[in-house]
Amino acid sequence: ARFAVDFRDWLRDDRVAREEYADVKRTALAAADGDIDRYVEAKEPWFDQAYARIAAWRANRREN
């Protein structure tokens, strides 16, 4: 649950990340051709690197 809240807040706070995620979702949707598993799988590489970015964002918020 904590990740979901952090993810939401990070996207609200980071315009670049928000635009990246929207693009990833559009691309994944087009590639999935209605298959939800393919849609989720297509987004995984972006999420793999997003976890570290969110952790850094969260740590920075604590410091400030």
Side-chain angles (χ1 to χ4, degrees):
R2 181 77 233 159
F3 174 78
V5 172
D6 286 343
F7 180 65
R8 177 202 65 196
D9 292 347
W10 175 61
L11 288 179
R12 287 179 175 172
D13 192 48
D14 188 325
R15 180 188 54 80
V16 172
R18 191 170 52 247
E19 291 172 1
E20 285 176 7
Y21 185 51
D23 188 48
V24 165
K25 287 180 64 155
R26 279 189 293 273
T27 302
L29 186 60
D33 195 32
D35 183 327
I36 189 67
D37 291 330
R38 286 175 55 193
Y39 172 73
V40 171
E41 187 177 313
K43 295 188 313 178
E44 285 180 11
W46 186 83
F47 272 101
D48 288 344
Q49 54 84 27
Y51 291 117
R53 291 170 65 189
I54 294 166
W57 170 83
R58 184 178 49 235
N60 188 44
R61 289 187 64 195
R62 288 185 192 147
E63 293 172 4
N64 295 323

